[in-house]
């Protein structure tokens, strides 16, 4: 079953679905189910997520701004309109180089 607060068939502006008005990184789920989902993150310049493991296969897409995404100890700068892919259980961290909005598309692998 798909969990979402959005109505199917309605059109939404992605960037306006999340703001970055707080002193913490903001998270918002667009939809999710047992296989993964889509989430939005909003960062103010300088905000960061400490190193952690990816819970799924992930596509990281920068909607607005610029982030430094360090994966396997290699830094990557991702700018508006760019994306990168990351495997499940990969160590990574994120630092916003500017006010930024990021979309994560997460797909969990089936484990038998």
């Amino acid at each position: 079953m798909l969990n979402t607060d959005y109505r199917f068939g309605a059109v939404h502006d992605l960037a306006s679905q999340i703001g970055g008005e707080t002193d913490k990184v903001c998270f918002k789920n667009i939809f999710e189910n047992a296989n993964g989902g889509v989430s939005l993150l909003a960062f103010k310049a300088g905000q960061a997520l400490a190193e952690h493991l990816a819970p799924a296969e992930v596509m990281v897409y920068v909607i607005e701004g610029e982030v430094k995404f360090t994966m396997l100890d290699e830094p990557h700068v991702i700018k508006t309109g760019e994306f990168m892919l990351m495997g499940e259980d990969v160590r990574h961290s994120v630092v916003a180089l500017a006010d930024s909005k990021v979309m994560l598309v997460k797909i969990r692998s089936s484990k038998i």
Side-chain angles (χ1 to χ4, degrees), residues 18-29 39-52 67-69 92-104:
I18 190 166
E21 302 86 21
T22 69
D23 58 347
K24 296 180 182 177
V25 176
C26 296
F27 292 86
K28 181 174 185 171
N29 283 329
S39 299
L40 301 178
L41 290 79
F43 299 83
K44 288 292 191 188
Q47 288 181 328
L49 293 176
E51 187 176 72
H52 59 284
V67 299
K68 181 172 75 171
F69 193 93
H92 64 285
S93 62
V94 183
V95 176
L97 302 176
D99 289 356
S100 301
K101 294 180 180 180
V102 175
M103 178 176 67
L104 301 178

PDB file of all heavy atoms in Angstrom, residues 18-29 39-52 67-69 92-104:
ATOM      1  N   ILE A  18       8.382  21.893   0.258  1.00  0.00           N
ATOM      2  CA  ILE A  18       9.200  21.900   1.473  1.00  0.00           C
ATOM      3  C   ILE A  18       9.930  23.231   1.574  1.00  0.00           C
ATOM      4  O   ILE A  18      10.332  23.809   0.571  1.00  0.00           O
ATOM      5  CB  ILE A  18      10.196  20.717   1.480  1.00  0.00           C
ATOM      6  CG1 ILE A  18      10.877  20.568   2.834  1.00  0.00           C
ATOM      7  CG2 ILE A  18      11.203  20.826   0.354  1.00  0.00           C
ATOM      8  CD1 ILE A  18      11.607  19.256   3.018  1.00  0.00           C
ATOM      9  N   GLY A  19      10.050  23.717   2.806  1.00  0.00           N
ATOM     10  CA  GLY A  19      10.797  24.935   3.060  1.00  0.00           C
ATOM     11  C   GLY A  19      12.008  24.623   3.907  1.00  0.00           C
ATOM     12  O   GLY A  19      12.164  23.507   4.389  1.00  0.00           O
ATOM     13  N   GLY A  20      12.863  25.566   4.092  1.00  0.00           N
ATOM     14  CA  GLY A  20      14.044  25.377   4.923  1.00  0.00           C
ATOM     15  C   GLY A  20      14.138  26.465   5.963  1.00  0.00           C
ATOM     16  O   GLY A  20      15.167  27.078   6.121  1.00  0.00           O
ATOM     17  N   GLU A  21      13.037  26.725   6.638  1.00  0.00           N
ATOM     18  CA  GLU A  21      12.948  27.864   7.542  1.00  0.00           C
ATOM     19  C   GLU A  21      13.483  27.588   8.941  1.00  0.00           C
ATOM     20  O   GLU A  21      13.435  28.458   9.784  1.00  0.00           O
ATOM     21  CB  GLU A  21      11.484  28.326   7.681  1.00  0.00           C
ATOM     22  CG  GLU A  21      10.815  28.711   6.389  1.00  0.00           C
ATOM     23  CD  GLU A  21      10.207  27.534   5.649  1.00  0.00           C
ATOM     24  OE1 GLU A  21       9.936  26.486   6.279  1.00  0.00           O
ATOM     25  OE2 GLU A  21      10.034  27.648   4.441  1.00  0.00           O
ATOM     26  N   THR A  22      13.941  26.399   9.224  1.00  0.00           N
ATOM     27  CA  THR A  22      14.335  26.079  10.594  1.00  0.00           C
ATOM     28  C   THR A  22      15.843  25.926  10.717  1.00  0.00           C
ATOM     29  O   THR A  22      16.572  25.986   9.736  1.00  0.00           O
ATOM     30  CB  THR A  22      13.667  24.761  11.050  1.00  0.00           C
ATOM     31  OG1 THR A  22      14.236  23.675  10.313  1.00  0.00           O
ATOM     32  CG2 THR A  22      12.173  24.793  10.842  1.00  0.00           C
ATOM     33  N   ASP A  23      16.290  25.704  11.950  1.00  0.00           N
ATOM     34  CA  ASP A  23      17.715  25.514  12.196  1.00  0.00           C
ATOM     35  C   ASP A  23      18.143  24.061  12.019  1.00  0.00           C
ATOM     36  O   ASP A  23      19.277  23.709  12.309  1.00  0.00           O
ATOM     37  CB  ASP A  23      18.091  26.021  13.591  1.00  0.00           C
ATOM     38  CG  ASP A  23      17.320  25.332  14.696  1.00  0.00           C
ATOM     39  OD1 ASP A  23      16.327  24.638  14.395  1.00  0.00           O
ATOM     40  OD2 ASP A  23      17.713  25.490  15.867  1.00  0.00           O
ATOM     41  N   LYS A  24      17.228  23.221  11.540  1.00  0.00           N
ATOM     42  CA  LYS A  24      17.537  21.819  11.262  1.00  0.00           C
ATOM     43  C   LYS A  24      17.189  21.499   9.814  1.00  0.00           C
ATOM     44  O   LYS A  24      16.354  22.163   9.210  1.00  0.00           O
ATOM     45  CB  LYS A  24      16.714  20.893  12.160  1.00  0.00           C
ATOM     46  CG  LYS A  24      17.009  21.013  13.626  1.00  0.00           C
ATOM     47  CD  LYS A  24      16.149  20.055  14.422  1.00  0.00           C
ATOM     48  CE  LYS A  24      16.412  20.222  15.910  1.00  0.00           C
ATOM     49  NZ  LYS A  24      15.538  19.357  16.700  1.00  0.00           N
ATOM     50  N   VAL A  25      17.812  20.469   9.284  1.00  0.00           N
ATOM     51  CA  VAL A  25      17.456  20.001   7.951  1.00  0.00           C
ATOM     52  C   VAL A  25      16.001  19.531   7.993  1.00  0.00           C
ATOM     53  O   VAL A  25      15.603  18.813   8.913  1.00  0.00           O
ATOM     54  CB  VAL A  25      18.382  18.840   7.506  1.00  0.00           C
ATOM     55  CG1 VAL A  25      17.960  18.291   6.156  1.00  0.00           C
ATOM     56  CG2 VAL A  25      19.844  19.303   7.475  1.00  0.00           C
ATOM     57  N   CYS A  26      15.198  19.961   7.028  1.00  0.00           N
ATOM     58  CA  CYS A  26      13.777  19.590   6.976  1.00  0.00           C
ATOM     59  C   CYS A  26      13.593  18.376   6.071  1.00  0.00           C
ATOM     60  O   CYS A  26      14.223  18.287   5.015  1.00  0.00           O
ATOM     61  CB  CYS A  26      12.948  20.738   6.419  1.00  0.00           C
ATOM     62  SG  CYS A  26      12.977  22.201   7.436  1.00  0.00           S
ATOM     63  N   PHE A  27      12.729  17.448   6.486  1.00  0.00           N
ATOM     64  CA  PHE A  27      12.406  16.257   5.710  1.00  0.00           C
ATOM     65  C   PHE A  27      10.908  16.222   5.442  1.00  0.00           C
ATOM     66  O   PHE A  27      10.125  16.589   6.309  1.00  0.00           O
ATOM     67  CB  PHE A  27      12.745  14.979   6.498  1.00  0.00           C
ATOM     68  CG  PHE A  27      14.216  14.756   6.707  1.00  0.00           C
ATOM     69  CD1 PHE A  27      14.869  15.342   7.778  1.00  0.00           C
ATOM     70  CD2 PHE A  27      14.929  13.940   5.850  1.00  0.00           C
ATOM     71  CE1 PHE A  27      16.217  15.135   7.988  1.00  0.00           C
ATOM     72  CE2 PHE A  27      16.277  13.722   6.057  1.00  0.00           C
ATOM     73  CZ  PHE A  27      16.926  14.318   7.121  1.00  0.00           C
ATOM     74  N   LYS A  28      10.521  15.747   4.260  1.00  0.00           N
ATOM     75  CA  LYS A  28       9.104  15.546   3.962  1.00  0.00           C
ATOM     76  C   LYS A  28       8.971  14.359   3.009  1.00  0.00           C
ATOM     77  O   LYS A  28       9.619  14.319   1.970  1.00  0.00           O
ATOM     78  CB  LYS A  28       8.492  16.782   3.319  1.00  0.00           C
ATOM     79  CG  LYS A  28       7.008  16.593   3.020  1.00  0.00           C
ATOM     80  CD  LYS A  28       6.367  17.848   2.530  1.00  0.00           C
ATOM     81  CE  LYS A  28       4.880  17.606   2.375  1.00  0.00           C
ATOM     82  NZ  LYS A  28       4.153  18.837   2.101  1.00  0.00           N
ATOM     83  N   ASN A  29       8.128  13.391   3.382  1.00  0.00           N
ATOM     84  CA  ASN A  29       7.848  12.267   2.493  1.00  0.00           C
ATOM     85  C   ASN A  29       6.761  12.659   1.508  1.00  0.00           C
ATOM     86  O   ASN A  29       5.731  13.196   1.903  1.00  0.00           O
ATOM     87  CB  ASN A  29       7.384  11.040   3.289  1.00  0.00           C
ATOM     88  CG  ASN A  29       8.523  10.336   3.968  1.00  0.00           C
ATOM     89  OD1 ASN A  29       9.643  10.332   3.492  1.00  0.00           O
ATOM     90  ND2 ASN A  29       8.252   9.753   5.109  1.00  0.00           N
ATOM     91  N   SER A  39      11.316  11.297  -1.057  1.00  0.00           N
ATOM     92  CA  SER A  39      11.358  12.253   0.047  1.00  0.00           C
ATOM     93  C   SER A  39      12.034  13.531  -0.415  1.00  0.00           C
ATOM     94  O   SER A  39      12.866  13.510  -1.332  1.00  0.00           O
ATOM     95  CB  SER A  39      12.152  11.693   1.224  1.00  0.00           C
ATOM     96  OG  SER A  39      11.565  10.522   1.715  1.00  0.00           O
ATOM     97  N   LEU A  40      11.693  14.627   0.249  1.00  0.00           N
ATOM     98  CA  LEU A  40      12.336  15.912   0.002  1.00  0.00           C
ATOM     99  C   LEU A  40      13.100  16.331   1.241  1.00  0.00           C
ATOM    100  O   LEU A  40      12.668  16.062   2.367  1.00  0.00           O
ATOM    101  CB  LEU A  40      11.295  16.977  -0.325  1.00  0.00           C
ATOM    102  CG  LEU A  40      10.412  16.728  -1.531  1.00  0.00           C
ATOM    103  CD1 LEU A  40       9.398  17.852  -1.687  1.00  0.00           C
ATOM    104  CD2 LEU A  40      11.234  16.565  -2.792  1.00  0.00           C
ATOM    105  N   LEU A  41      14.234  16.981   1.026  1.00  0.00           N
ATOM    106  CA  LEU A  41      15.030  17.545   2.108  1.00  0.00           C
ATOM    107  C   LEU A  41      15.290  18.998   1.775  1.00  0.00           C
ATOM    108  O   LEU A  41      15.528  19.321   0.612  1.00  0.00           O
ATOM    109  CB  LEU A  41      16.374  16.835   2.258  1.00  0.00           C
ATOM    110  CG  LEU A  41      16.375  15.415   2.783  1.00  0.00           C
ATOM    111  CD1 LEU A  41      16.002  14.438   1.700  1.00  0.00           C
ATOM    112  CD2 LEU A  41      17.729  15.080   3.333  1.00  0.00           C
ATOM    113  N   ALA A  42      15.241  19.861   2.781  1.00  0.00           N
ATOM    114  CA  ALA A  42      15.582  21.270   2.602  1.00  0.00           C
ATOM    115  C   ALA A  42      16.688  21.627   3.590  1.00  0.00           C
ATOM    116  O   ALA A  42      16.595  21.303   4.774  1.00  0.00           O
ATOM    117  CB  ALA A  42      14.361  22.154   2.817  1.00  0.00           C
ATOM    118  N   PHE A  43      17.727  22.265   3.068  1.00  0.00           N
ATOM    119  CA  PHE A  43      18.887  22.664   3.867  1.00  0.00           C
ATOM    120  C   PHE A  43      19.069  24.172   3.758  1.00  0.00           C
ATOM    121  O   PHE A  43      18.904  24.740   2.677  1.00  0.00           O
ATOM    122  CB  PHE A  43      20.181  22.064   3.291  1.00  0.00           C
ATOM    123  CG  PHE A  43      20.277  20.584   3.246  1.00  0.00           C
ATOM    124  CD1 PHE A  43      19.703  19.861   2.204  1.00  0.00           C
ATOM    125  CD2 PHE A  43      21.006  19.889   4.198  1.00  0.00           C
ATOM    126  CE1 PHE A  43      19.839  18.490   2.125  1.00  0.00           C
ATOM    127  CE2 PHE A  43      21.148  18.516   4.123  1.00  0.00           C
ATOM    128  CZ  PHE A  43      20.568  17.810   3.090  1.00  0.00           C
ATOM    129  N   LYS A  44      19.474  24.797   4.829  1.00  0.00           N
ATOM    130  CA  LYS A  44      20.030  26.138   4.780  1.00  0.00           C
ATOM    131  C   LYS A  44      21.528  25.971   4.525  1.00  0.00           C
ATOM    132  O   LYS A  44      22.130  24.943   4.885  1.00  0.00           O
ATOM    133  CB  LYS A  44      19.809  26.885   6.103  1.00  0.00           C
ATOM    134  CG  LYS A  44      18.374  27.285   6.336  1.00  0.00           C
ATOM    135  CD  LYS A  44      17.975  28.334   5.338  1.00  0.00           C
ATOM    136  CE  LYS A  44      16.658  28.971   5.668  1.00  0.00           C
ATOM    137  NZ  LYS A  44      16.203  29.841   4.592  1.00  0.00           N
ATOM    138  N   ALA A  45      22.144  26.966   3.908  1.00  0.00           N
ATOM    139  CA  ALA A  45      23.579  26.902   3.638  1.00  0.00           C
ATOM    140  C   ALA A  45      24.324  26.563   4.922  1.00  0.00           C
ATOM    141  O   ALA A  45      24.054  27.139   5.972  1.00  0.00           O
ATOM    142  CB  ALA A  45      24.065  28.227   3.071  1.00  0.00           C
ATOM    143  N   GLY A  46      25.220  25.594   4.840  1.00  0.00           N
ATOM    144  CA  GLY A  46      26.023  25.181   5.984  1.00  0.00           C
ATOM    145  C   GLY A  46      25.441  24.039   6.784  1.00  0.00           C
ATOM    146  O   GLY A  46      26.160  23.398   7.551  1.00  0.00           O
ATOM    147  N   GLN A  47      24.145  23.763   6.640  1.00  0.00           N
ATOM    148  CA  GLN A  47      23.566  22.631   7.360  1.00  0.00           C
ATOM    149  C   GLN A  47      24.088  21.318   6.774  1.00  0.00           C
ATOM    150  O   GLN A  47      24.431  21.246   5.593  1.00  0.00           O
ATOM    151  CB  GLN A  47      22.046  22.661   7.298  1.00  0.00           C
ATOM    152  CG  GLN A  47      21.452  23.762   8.143  1.00  0.00           C
ATOM    153  CD  GLN A  47      19.934  23.778   8.104  1.00  0.00           C
ATOM    154  OE1 GLN A  47      19.326  23.425   7.112  1.00  0.00           O
ATOM    155  NE2 GLN A  47      19.339  24.194   9.207  1.00  0.00           N
ATOM    156  N   ALA A  48      24.123  20.282   7.610  1.00  0.00           N
ATOM    157  CA  ALA A  48      24.718  19.021   7.189  1.00  0.00           C
ATOM    158  C   ALA A  48      23.977  17.830   7.769  1.00  0.00           C
ATOM    159  O   ALA A  48      23.288  17.942   8.784  1.00  0.00           O
ATOM    160  CB  ALA A  48      26.179  18.981   7.637  1.00  0.00           C
ATOM    161  N   LEU A  49      24.151  16.715   7.117  1.00  0.00           N
ATOM    162  CA  LEU A  49      23.763  15.412   7.649  1.00  0.00           C
ATOM    163  C   LEU A  49      25.052  14.636   7.859  1.00  0.00           C
ATOM    164  O   LEU A  49      25.842  14.464   6.925  1.00  0.00           O
ATOM    165  CB  LEU A  49      22.855  14.658   6.675  1.00  0.00           C
ATOM    166  CG  LEU A  49      21.467  15.258   6.434  1.00  0.00           C
ATOM    167  CD1 LEU A  49      20.727  14.449   5.378  1.00  0.00           C
ATOM    168  CD2 LEU A  49      20.674  15.293   7.728  1.00  0.00           C
ATOM    169  N   ALA A  50      25.287  14.188   9.087  1.00  0.00           N
ATOM    170  CA  ALA A  50      26.497  13.435   9.411  1.00  0.00           C
ATOM    171  C   ALA A  50      26.523  12.123   8.639  1.00  0.00           C
ATOM    172  O   ALA A  50      25.491  11.644   8.157  1.00  0.00           O
ATOM    173  CB  ALA A  50      26.551  13.172  10.914  1.00  0.00           C
ATOM    174  N   GLU A  51      27.684  11.529   8.570  1.00  0.00           N
ATOM    175  CA  GLU A  51      27.838  10.272   7.841  1.00  0.00           C
ATOM    176  C   GLU A  51      26.875   9.210   8.369  1.00  0.00           C
ATOM    177  O   GLU A  51      26.724   9.045   9.578  1.00  0.00           O
ATOM    178  CB  GLU A  51      29.281   9.773   7.956  1.00  0.00           C
ATOM    179  CG  GLU A  51      29.541   8.567   7.082  1.00  0.00           C
ATOM    180  CD  GLU A  51      30.989   8.138   7.111  1.00  0.00           C
ATOM    181  OE1 GLU A  51      31.420   7.588   8.149  1.00  0.00           O
ATOM    182  OE2 GLU A  51      31.685   8.351   6.102  1.00  0.00           O
ATOM    183  N   HIS A  52      26.233   8.518   7.444  1.00  0.00           N
ATOM    184  CA  HIS A  52      25.297   7.445   7.781  1.00  0.00           C
ATOM    185  C   HIS A  52      25.204   6.491   6.598  1.00  0.00           C
ATOM    186  O   HIS A  52      25.754   6.755   5.529  1.00  0.00           O
ATOM    187  CB  HIS A  52      23.915   8.014   8.148  1.00  0.00           C
ATOM    188  CG  HIS A  52      23.283   8.827   7.063  1.00  0.00           C
ATOM    189  ND1 HIS A  52      23.669  10.114   6.767  1.00  0.00           N
ATOM    190  CD2 HIS A  52      22.287   8.529   6.200  1.00  0.00           C
ATOM    191  CE1 HIS A  52      22.938  10.576   5.771  1.00  0.00           C
ATOM    192  NE2 HIS A  52      22.089   9.635   5.397  1.00  0.00           N
ATOM    193  N   VAL A  67      24.939  21.109  -3.126  1.00  0.00           N
ATOM    194  CA  VAL A  67      25.359  20.339  -1.956  1.00  0.00           C
ATOM    195  C   VAL A  67      26.670  19.616  -2.239  1.00  0.00           C
ATOM    196  O   VAL A  67      26.965  19.273  -3.381  1.00  0.00           O
ATOM    197  CB  VAL A  67      24.287  19.312  -1.511  1.00  0.00           C
ATOM    198  CG1 VAL A  67      22.990  20.005  -1.115  1.00  0.00           C
ATOM    199  CG2 VAL A  67      24.039  18.264  -2.568  1.00  0.00           C
ATOM    200  N   LYS A  68      27.430  19.412  -1.167  1.00  0.00           N
ATOM    201  CA  LYS A  68      28.603  18.533  -1.254  1.00  0.00           C
ATOM    202  C   LYS A  68      28.166  17.204  -0.680  1.00  0.00           C
ATOM    203  O   LYS A  68      27.817  17.101   0.499  1.00  0.00           O
ATOM    204  CB  LYS A  68      29.793  19.092  -0.484  1.00  0.00           C
ATOM    205  CG  LYS A  68      31.019  18.174  -0.600  1.00  0.00           C
ATOM    206  CD  LYS A  68      32.261  18.804  -0.017  1.00  0.00           C
ATOM    207  CE  LYS A  68      32.213  18.773   1.480  1.00  0.00           C
ATOM    208  NZ  LYS A  68      33.475  19.172   2.121  1.00  0.00           N
ATOM    209  N   PHE A  69      28.181  16.186  -1.512  1.00  0.00           N
ATOM    210  CA  PHE A  69      27.718  14.853  -1.153  1.00  0.00           C
ATOM    211  C   PHE A  69      28.952  13.960  -1.125  1.00  0.00           C
ATOM    212  O   PHE A  69      29.573  13.717  -2.169  1.00  0.00           O
ATOM    213  CB  PHE A  69      26.721  14.371  -2.216  1.00  0.00           C
ATOM    214  CG  PHE A  69      25.949  13.155  -1.821  1.00  0.00           C
ATOM    215  CD1 PHE A  69      24.710  13.273  -1.214  1.00  0.00           C
ATOM    216  CD2 PHE A  69      26.455  11.888  -2.065  1.00  0.00           C
ATOM    217  CE1 PHE A  69      23.984  12.159  -0.852  1.00  0.00           C
ATOM    218  CE2 PHE A  69      25.745  10.770  -1.706  1.00  0.00           C
ATOM    219  CZ  PHE A  69      24.505  10.902  -1.102  1.00  0.00           C
ATOM    220  N   HIS A  92      27.704   7.766   3.603  1.00  0.00           N
ATOM    221  CA  HIS A  92      27.710   9.062   2.930  1.00  0.00           C
ATOM    222  C   HIS A  92      27.351  10.166   3.924  1.00  0.00           C
ATOM    223  O   HIS A  92      26.828   9.900   4.998  1.00  0.00           O
ATOM    224  CB  HIS A  92      26.719   9.071   1.759  1.00  0.00           C
ATOM    225  CG  HIS A  92      25.301   8.898   2.177  1.00  0.00           C
ATOM    226  ND1 HIS A  92      24.776   7.682   2.581  1.00  0.00           N
ATOM    227  CD2 HIS A  92      24.298   9.797   2.305  1.00  0.00           C
ATOM    228  CE1 HIS A  92      23.511   7.839   2.903  1.00  0.00           C
ATOM    229  NE2 HIS A  92      23.190   9.115   2.756  1.00  0.00           N
ATOM    230  N   SER A  93      27.649  11.407   3.534  1.00  0.00           N
ATOM    231  CA  SER A  93      27.277  12.587   4.311  1.00  0.00           C
ATOM    232  C   SER A  93      26.950  13.698   3.326  1.00  0.00           C
ATOM    233  O   SER A  93      27.292  13.626   2.142  1.00  0.00           O
ATOM    234  CB  SER A  93      28.413  13.011   5.249  1.00  0.00           C
ATOM    235  OG  SER A  93      29.561  13.354   4.501  1.00  0.00           O
ATOM    236  N   VAL A  94      26.274  14.739   3.832  1.00  0.00           N
ATOM    237  CA  VAL A  94      25.845  15.843   2.973  1.00  0.00           C
ATOM    238  C   VAL A  94      26.084  17.160   3.700  1.00  0.00           C
ATOM    239  O   VAL A  94      25.798  17.269   4.895  1.00  0.00           O
ATOM    240  CB  VAL A  94      24.338  15.735   2.639  1.00  0.00           C
ATOM    241  CG1 VAL A  94      23.917  16.845   1.681  1.00  0.00           C
ATOM    242  CG2 VAL A  94      23.991  14.372   2.075  1.00  0.00           C
ATOM    243  N   VAL A  95      26.591  18.153   2.967  1.00  0.00           N
ATOM    244  CA  VAL A  95      26.722  19.517   3.470  1.00  0.00           C
ATOM    245  C   VAL A  95      26.150  20.446   2.403  1.00  0.00           C
ATOM    246  O   VAL A  95      26.522  20.345   1.227  1.00  0.00           O
ATOM    247  CB  VAL A  95      28.200  19.897   3.742  1.00  0.00           C
ATOM    248  CG1 VAL A  95      28.313  21.353   4.171  1.00  0.00           C
ATOM    249  CG2 VAL A  95      28.825  18.978   4.771  1.00  0.00           C
ATOM    250  N   ALA A  96      25.258  21.344   2.807  1.00  0.00           N
ATOM    251  CA  ALA A  96      24.689  22.314   1.868  1.00  0.00           C
ATOM    252  C   ALA A  96      25.682  23.448   1.657  1.00  0.00           C
ATOM    253  O   ALA A  96      26.089  24.113   2.609  1.00  0.00           O
ATOM    254  CB  ALA A  96      23.367  22.845   2.392  1.00  0.00           C
ATOM    255  N   LEU A  97      26.063  23.678   0.409  1.00  0.00           N
ATOM    256  CA  LEU A  97      26.954  24.780   0.073  1.00  0.00           C
ATOM    257  C   LEU A  97      26.166  26.069  -0.155  1.00  0.00           C
ATOM    258  O   LEU A  97      26.743  27.153  -0.174  1.00  0.00           O
ATOM    259  CB  LEU A  97      27.777  24.426  -1.172  1.00  0.00           C
ATOM    260  CG  LEU A  97      28.621  23.156  -1.032  1.00  0.00           C
ATOM    261  CD1 LEU A  97      29.331  22.842  -2.345  1.00  0.00           C
ATOM    262  CD2 LEU A  97      29.614  23.278   0.113  1.00  0.00           C
ATOM    263  N   ALA A  98      24.858  25.931  -0.339  1.00  0.00           N
ATOM    264  CA  ALA A  98      23.918  27.049  -0.491  1.00  0.00           C
ATOM    265  C   ALA A  98      22.578  26.558   0.033  1.00  0.00           C
ATOM    266  O   ALA A  98      22.407  25.356   0.278  1.00  0.00           O
ATOM    267  CB  ALA A  98      23.808  27.437  -1.964  1.00  0.00           C
ATOM    268  N   ASP A  99      21.616  27.454   0.224  1.00  0.00           N
ATOM    269  CA  ASP A  99      20.266  26.997   0.542  1.00  0.00           C
ATOM    270  C   ASP A  99      19.867  26.015  -0.549  1.00  0.00           C
ATOM    271  O   ASP A  99      20.018  26.317  -1.745  1.00  0.00           O
ATOM    272  CB  ASP A  99      19.280  28.169   0.574  1.00  0.00           C
ATOM    273  CG  ASP A  99      19.490  29.092   1.771  1.00  0.00           C
ATOM    274  OD1 ASP A  99      20.341  28.793   2.629  1.00  0.00           O
ATOM    275  OD2 ASP A  99      18.788  30.112   1.825  1.00  0.00           O
ATOM    276  N   SER A 100      19.382  24.826  -0.169  1.00  0.00           N
ATOM    277  CA  SER A 100      19.177  23.759  -1.151  1.00  0.00           C
ATOM    278  C   SER A 100      17.943  22.935  -0.850  1.00  0.00           C
ATOM    279  O   SER A 100      17.550  22.791   0.318  1.00  0.00           O
ATOM    280  CB  SER A 100      20.394  22.815  -1.172  1.00  0.00           C
ATOM    281  OG  SER A 100      21.579  23.515  -1.487  1.00  0.00           O
ATOM    282  N   LYS A 101      17.369  22.373  -1.922  1.00  0.00           N
ATOM    283  CA  LYS A 101      16.281  21.411  -1.816  1.00  0.00           C
ATOM    284  C   LYS A 101      16.680  20.195  -2.635  1.00  0.00           C
ATOM    285  O   LYS A 101      17.127  20.325  -3.782  1.00  0.00           O
ATOM    286  CB  LYS A 101      14.969  22.001  -2.330  1.00  0.00           C
ATOM    287  CG  LYS A 101      14.484  23.146  -1.462  1.00  0.00           C
ATOM    288  CD  LYS A 101      13.192  23.734  -1.963  1.00  0.00           C
ATOM    289  CE  LYS A 101      12.757  24.881  -1.050  1.00  0.00           C
ATOM    290  NZ  LYS A 101      11.484  25.483  -1.504  1.00  0.00           N
ATOM    291  N   VAL A 102      16.521  19.032  -2.014  1.00  0.00           N
ATOM    292  CA  VAL A 102      16.990  17.785  -2.607  1.00  0.00           C
ATOM    293  C   VAL A 102      15.853  16.767  -2.598  1.00  0.00           C
ATOM    294  O   VAL A 102      15.125  16.663  -1.607  1.00  0.00           O
ATOM    295  CB  VAL A 102      18.197  17.235  -1.808  1.00  0.00           C
ATOM    296  CG1 VAL A 102      18.640  15.868  -2.323  1.00  0.00           C
ATOM    297  CG2 VAL A 102      19.353  18.231  -1.835  1.00  0.00           C
ATOM    298  N   MET A 103      15.713  16.029  -3.693  1.00  0.00           N
ATOM    299  CA  MET A 103      14.751  14.931  -3.760  1.00  0.00           C
ATOM    300  C   MET A 103      15.514  13.615  -3.705  1.00  0.00           C
ATOM    301  O   MET A 103      16.503  13.436  -4.417  1.00  0.00           O
ATOM    302  CB  MET A 103      13.934  14.978  -5.057  1.00  0.00           C
ATOM    303  CG  MET A 103      12.950  13.816  -5.174  1.00  0.00           C
ATOM    304  SD  MET A 103      11.889  13.907  -6.640  1.00  0.00           S
ATOM    305  CE  MET A 103      13.077  13.680  -7.946  1.00  0.00           C
ATOM    306  N   LEU A 104      15.059  12.718  -2.845  1.00  0.00           N
ATOM    307  CA  LEU A 104      15.616  11.362  -2.759  1.00  0.00           C
ATOM    308  C   LEU A 104      14.584  10.378  -3.279  1.00  0.00           C
ATOM    309  O   LEU A 104      13.447  10.374  -2.809  1.00  0.00           O
ATOM    310  CB  LEU A 104      15.948  10.997  -1.312  1.00  0.00           C
ATOM    311  CG  LEU A 104      16.936  11.883  -0.570  1.00  0.00           C
ATOM    312  CD1 LEU A 104      17.097  11.382   0.855  1.00  0.00           C
ATOM    313  CD2 LEU A 104      18.259  11.929  -1.290  1.00  0.00           C
TER     314      LEU A 104
END
